[in-house]
Amino acid sequence: MDVTTNNTGIGFIPPPLTSGVVWMVAVSFPFIAVLGSCGNICVILVICKKRQLRTVSNYFTVALMAFSPMGDSVAYPLQMAIDTFLITTHPQCYIAAATIVSWSVHITLCLVAITVERYIAISRPLRKDVIVTPRRAIFVIGFITFYGYFMAGVVPGFIWIGKGDLWGIRRRCDFKFYAPSKPFALILTAHWIINIPIMTLLFLHIFIMVRRHTRQIAAMRPAVLPSTTVPSTSAAQTEGPHIQSSSEATSARPLSARARSALRLFIVFAIYAINWLPINLFVVNKVATAGDSADPRLYILNHILTLLVGVASPFIYGFGDKRIRAEIRSLFFGRQPNES
């Protein structure tokens, strides 16, 4: 069904909403908006409350969890209003689309920043605190915030200068209505595509380094001899292996923690890459072709998949951390007697 009659939007008639569309919105809204927002806010509260969790690494975690509720509780309702044709004028479309696109740029670049930080922590553990300082982390987060709003709000505004009476146009709020520029749409889509191979290479390198370091630590372990005879040894002779085992455990502990953190982040990245693939192909296809017609259910399904990343982030990357999980438990149920 062609939902736009001409470039001016005169005679625009939105397609009727089927029961399938209504059910998709009704079921997905509380799941994404409520569950995602609550999960992200819990992680933010715990990290901000507990001093021992206020590490430079968690600066980026808080940024990711702060951007995610914007998608769950703000961008998602606006997107549903767009997909159900409650938003059809250009001023409405511009504000709603700029909010949604800025969130998508924020969360995408924030995932890249966290991946780079995890890569540095594992590949350069001795220089990590020198390379990733609190000031640099805050600068990166601030730049991501500014860049997202600039790309989503300022650039499309310049594109629309001199393009006619925007207040009189009514049509489906899509990329062509939000910013009628094919180069801009492709550049914006590239933000969601180029990061996938970059992050894949970083995670692959992380896996190789963790595997190599694990083998090196295993090679440092003293060989276990058969227990047929136990020769008498002095305390000085037995001190060496104990010191070596202690050093070995000290080296393995932070590596294991960083590897688990990288694994949780990889799961979030995999969800991002898989769920954002349909919308990327969908946008590129619509930008490259002249067609404007599409089933509203297809729009809604694509947008639900993309916004599920904001729901997965706190429960996988945040709650997956044992310290954060313990603090969240104590926040709601009190600290258990066996917890220090």
Side-chain angles (χ1 to χ4, degrees), residues 128 186 219 255 325:
K128 187 254 183 184
L186 295 177
L255 175 63
R325 190 167 60 249

Side-chain angles (χ1 to χ4, degrees), residues 238-272:
T238 59
E239 185 179 6
H242 288 291
I243 295 176
Q244 186 179 23
S245 299
S246 176
S247 175
E248 172 189 325
T250 303
S251 301
R253 193 175 299 113
L255 175 63
S256 176
R258 290 165 182 165
R260 289 194 299 268
S261 176
L263 176 61
R264 295 194 303 270
L265 182 61
F266 175 76
I267 295 174
V268 174
F269 161 70
I271 295 174
Y272 170 90

Side-chain angles (χ1 to χ4, degrees), residues 299-333:
Y299 274 99
I300 295 174
L301 180 60
N302 281 324
H303 295 139
I304 289 175
L305 289 176
T306 59
L307 288 157
L308 283 176
V309 178
V311 179
S313 299
F315 293 98
I316 295 177
Y317 192 67
F319 289 26
D321 190 317
K322 182 172 63 176
R323 299 173 302 169
I324 294 178
R325 190 167 60 249
E327 295 297 341
I328 291 177
R329 190 186 306 117
S330 65
L331 182 65
F332 290 100
F333 305 104

